[in-house]
């Protein structure tokens, strides 16, 4: 069962988890052979164990739920149109260029200037100790403390800008990965075994709620982890 065992699927009427059960049917073939057919079903655990007054069904079709679910995932992933992804890439590149060429370079120039000024103050302290400076050691120490505070503030700004830049670069990498992944994602997903499919699904699904006439799916937007989980399993298969 694709959706059980992860806490993702629940009854829309009572909120109880849907769990796995099996329906067994017996029939006799023309040759007289008796056959039992065992098929999996989704079951409202609250209603099945009489733990809640549930207005929904006890049993739900495994095929119906999973076909609707996979169809919705398909719509979700294929909804990332290539032209929209290109726009996001260009937007990220523009932000990187602005931060790199304008903000970051400006802060680095300020840092260099202030460090040079601090060196001058250090030299002036030596002169003041020998009586060759018009500044007192106390005044110079005060000026040096202020300059060190300024330098620290600039360094913090540079660190934040560099982290932001890295995030933008990472986002471009993620979008490029999505672009290359989307055309063949179905084949990649189908080639996973059941536990691997469950891991992949847990990356983008927050909740699946089942009603008599509809299934509601709440996406937890983590397309990158979904793709990574599929690509990781593919690499493992190739190695083994």
């Amino acid at each position: 069962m694709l959706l059980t065992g992860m806490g993702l699927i629940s009854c829309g009427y009572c909120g109880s988890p849907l769990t796995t059960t099996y329906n067994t049917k017996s029939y006799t073939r023309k040759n007289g052979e008796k056959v039992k057919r065992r098929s999996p079903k989704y079951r409202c655990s609250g209603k099945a164990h009489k733990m809640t007054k549930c207005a929904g069904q006890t049993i739900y079709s495994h095929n119906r739920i999973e076909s609707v679910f996979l169809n919705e995932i398909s719509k979700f992933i294929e909804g990332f149109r290539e032209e929209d992804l290109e726009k996001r890439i260009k937007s990220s590149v523009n932000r990187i260029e602005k931060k790199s060429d304008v903000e970051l370079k400006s802060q680095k120039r300020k840092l260099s200037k202030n460090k040079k000024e601090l060196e001058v103050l250090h030299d002036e302290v030596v002169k003041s100790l020998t009586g060759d400076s018009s500044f007192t050691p106390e005044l110079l120490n005060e000026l040096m403390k202020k300059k060190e505070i300024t330098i620290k503030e600039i360094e913090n700004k540079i660190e934040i800008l560099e982290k932001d830049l890295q995030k933008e670069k990472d986002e471009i990498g993620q979008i490029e990965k999505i672009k290359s992944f989307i055309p063949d994602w179905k084949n990649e997903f189908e080639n996973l075994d059941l536990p691997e499919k469950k891991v992949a699904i847990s990356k983008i699904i927050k909740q699946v709620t089942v009603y008599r006439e509809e299934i509601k799916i709440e996406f937890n937007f983590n397309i990158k982890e979904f793709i990574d989980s599929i690509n990781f399993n593919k690499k493992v298969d190739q190695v083994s």
Side-chain angles (χ1 to χ4, degrees):
M1 299 282 277
L2 189 59
L3 297 173
T4 55
M6 299 182 290
L8 296 179
I9 186 166
S10 62
C11 173
Y13 299 93
C14 68
S16 299
L18 293 195
T19 56
T20 303
T21 190
Y22 291 90
N23 184 22
T24 302
K25 290 185 178 180
S26 301
Y27 63 95
T28 303
R29 291 177 175 171
K30 291 181 179 179
N31 61 5
E33 180 187 2
K34 292 185 177 180
V35 178
K36 287 186 177 181
R37 184 180 176 185
R38 194 165 178 256
S39 57
K41 302 286 182 181
Y42 283 96
R43 176 183 64 177
C44 172
S45 58
K47 187 165 187 175
H49 296 294
K50 298 180 179 179
M51 295 186 297
T52 181
K53 292 182 179 180
C54 180
Q57 298 173 197
T58 304
I59 302 295
Y60 292 89
S61 166
H62 151 263
N63 290 330
R64 172 179 165 264
I65 288 177
E66 294 190 3
S67 63
V68 171
F69 174 78
L70 291 172
N71 185 53
E72 289 302 312
I73 283 188
S74 179
K75 288 180 184 177
F76 175 73
I77 293 175
E78 291 169 6
F80 294 98
R81 296 184 302 170
E82 187 170 346
E83 56 266 35
D84 292 336
L85 295 175
E86 283 292 346
K87 287 179 182 178
R88 288 185 64 178
I89 289 173
K90 288 179 181 178
S91 177
S92 292
V93 169
N94 289 336
R95 287 196 297 269
I96 286 174
E97 289 175 349
K98 181 181 177 182
K99 286 177 181 176
S100 178
D101 293 341
V102 181
E103 298 176 47
L104 189 56
K105 286 182 179 179
S106 173
Q107 292 299 326
K108 285 184 175 181
R109 285 194 296 269
K110 286 181 183 179
L111 181 62
S112 178
K113 177 176 176 291
N114 279 273
K115 283 185 174 181
K116 287 177 182 178
E117 290 173 354
L118 182 60
E119 288 177 7
V120 171
L121 289 172
H122 274 291
D123 294 340
E124 198 66 31
V125 168
V126 176
K127 292 180 183 179
S128 71
L129 293 174
T130 60
D132 296 326
S133 174
S134 57
F135 300 100
T136 64
E138 291 77 17
L139 176 60
L140 289 169
N141 283 332
E142 186 65 28
L143 292 172
M144 286 171 59
K145 286 180 181 178
K146 289 181 179 179
K147 187 60 64 179
E148 286 169 350
I149 291 171
T150 299
I151 288 172
K152 186 63 178 175
E153 289 174 348
I154 296 171
E155 287 175 339
N156 288 340
K157 288 180 181 178
I158 289 174
E159 184 180 355
I160 291 170
L161 282 169
E162 287 178 338
K163 285 181 179 179
D164 288 344
L165 275 172
Q166 190 57 52
K167 284 181 182 178
E168 296 287 356
K169 290 176 182 177
D170 290 344
E171 182 179 348
I172 290 175
Q174 292 173 20
I175 297 170
E176 291 286 3
K177 184 179 284 189
I178 292 169
K179 276 181 61 183
S180 63
F181 168 82
I182 287 173
D184 201 38
W185 82 269
K186 286 183 180 178
N187 289 335
E188 298 287 356
F189 185 78
E190 285 302 318
N191 287 333
L192 301 179
D193 61 25
L194 183 59
E196 290 168 344
K197 285 181 179 178
K198 285 176 177 281
V199 170
I201 286 169
S202 69
K203 303 300 181 183
I204 59 170
I205 299 299
K206 187 175 182 180
Q207 184 65 40
V208 179
T209 307
V210 178
Y211 297 87
R212 290 180 185 274
E213 303 298 331
E214 66 174 329
I215 298 168
K216 291 184 178 180
I217 300 172
E218 185 178 352
F219 288 93
N220 174 26
F221 187 80
N222 209 332
I223 189 73
K224 179 182 180 296
E225 287 191 15
F226 175 73
I227 294 168
D228 285 345
S229 68
I230 292 178
N231 287 343
F232 172 76
N233 289 320
K234 182 182 178 184
K235 288 175 184 175
V236 170
D237 290 341
Q238 289 174 343
V239 171
S240 59

